[in-house]
DNA sequence: AAACTTTACAACCGCAAGTCT
DNA sequence: AAGACTTGCGGTTGTAAAGTT
């Protein structure tokens, strides 16, 4: 399988934060032509960026349906539950949260939710050790019914991580 | 007020899988 | 069938902003 070469091959391509002019060019171009082939997007838009960088900027920031701003408690609870079922499948978790991107959710998890769970006495890395066994515990604690039970096939071992009070999320 | 630390988030990198020729 | 190319994903990093000493 081939690797995605653009950034490596052409070292002249710009990296780092996007300027408002670049955003504008990318927005205008995609709204006019659609993205189609991402390799062509920067050329067409007159941007000195690789296609990968353009795609990321569009999907995580510029897309009109991206919801900006803080996550609600409900959204956080949904993420915690979905993560207990799906693990680090950020794109699949994002699919359940309209307007939220996988990158945003991943960031939220790594910076805040993980610590929140640890504080509550729950190991956020449960899936590495227990193959999904904590899913019902987490689901119970945040009061959200999860219909996607694909990871729950494994029978739960007898495992009590903490009391129900400790389990309550902040 | 300055220096240092922590937090939050945008963006990059490498890999794997899908598609095309 | 095989290799080249493209896309999407997840891990990680860089850094600005906020908080603390």
């Amino acid at each position: 399988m081939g690797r995605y070469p653009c950034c490596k091959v052409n070292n002249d391509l710009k990296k780092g934060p996007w300027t408002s002019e670049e955003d504008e060019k990318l927005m205008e171009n995609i709204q006019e032509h659609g993205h189609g082939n991402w390799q062509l997007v920067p050329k067409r838009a007159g941007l000195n960026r690789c296609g990968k960088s353009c795609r990321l900027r569009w999907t995580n920031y510029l897309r009109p349906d991206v919801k900006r701003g803080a996550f609600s408690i409900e959204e956080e609870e949904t993420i915690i539950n979905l993560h207990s079922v799906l693990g680090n499948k950020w794109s699949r978790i994002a699919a359940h949260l309209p307007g939220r991107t996988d990158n945003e959710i991943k960031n939220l998890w790594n910076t805040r939710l993980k610590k929140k769970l640890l504080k509550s006495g729950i190991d956020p890395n449960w899936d590495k050790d227990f193959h999904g066994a904590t899913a019902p515990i987490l689901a119970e604690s945040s009061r959200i019914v999860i219909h996607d039970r694909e990871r729950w096939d494994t029978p739960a071992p007898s495992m009590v991580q903490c009391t129900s009070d400790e389990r309550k999320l902040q």
Side-chain angles (χ1 to χ4, degrees):
Chain A
M1 296 295 176
R3 291 274 302 280
Y4 192 43
C6 58
C7 302
K8 282 216 139 190
V9 169
N10 189 347
N11 288 323
D12 297 332
L13 291 175
K14 194 183 167 196
K15 290 182 188 174
W18 281 66
T19 64
S20 47
E21 295 95 271
E22 286 178 310
D23 281 346
E24 216 170 293
K25 279 185 183 178
L26 184 61
M27 280 272 266
E28 278 176 14
N29 197 270
I30 291 178
Q31 278 166 357
E32 197 173 332
H33 303 101
H35 54 75
N37 185 338
W38 282 108
Q39 301 310 299
L40 296 177
V41 170
K43 291 183 189 112
R44 218 168 40 201
L47 290 164
N48 190 29
R49 297 267 184 177
C50 68
K52 197 173 186 174
S53 180
C54 293
R55 181 178 59 78
L56 209 67
R57 185 63 179 170
W58 173 255
T59 52
N60 288 336
Y61 200 84
L62 297 176
R63 239 176 28 184
D65 56 324
V66 169
K67 199 197 280 184
R68 312 294 309 165
F71 281 77
S72 67
I73 300 293
E74 289 73 26
E75 283 176 315
E76 289 192 5
E77 286 175 345
T78 305
I79 292 165
I80 290 166
N81 277 292
L82 289 168
H83 186 272
S84 72
V85 176
L86 301 169
N88 294 358
K89 298 292 173 196
W90 307 117
S91 59
R92 294 199 57 198
I93 294 172
H96 290 79
L97 293 155
R100 299 297 187 183
T101 68
D102 53 352
N103 205 35
E104 234 181 335
I105 292 167
K106 181 171 58 184
N107 281 331
L108 180 77
W109 179 265
N110 286 330
T111 56
R112 280 186 273 166
L113 296 184
K114 238 176 170 175
K115 288 168 198 164
K116 219 174 185 177
L117 289 176
L118 280 171
K119 262 191 180 175
S120 309
I122 297 166
D123 177 11
N125 297 315
W126 59 269
D127 66 317
K128 289 181 186 123
D129 304 324
F130 301 112
H131 311 292
T134 33
I137 295 172
L138 291 168
E140 180 207 326
S141 59
S142 56
R143 307 181 308 278
I144 287 177
V145 177
I146 294 189
H147 301 291
D148 183 349
R149 295 189 165 228
E150 65 185 356
R151 291 282 305 271
W152 295 13
D153 296 334
T154 322
S158 53
M159 179 189 64
V160 177
Q161 289 201 321
C162 50
T163 67
S164 56
D165 279 341
E166 286 169 330
R167 272 191 251 128
K168 275 182 192 154
L169 301 175
Q170 294 174 326

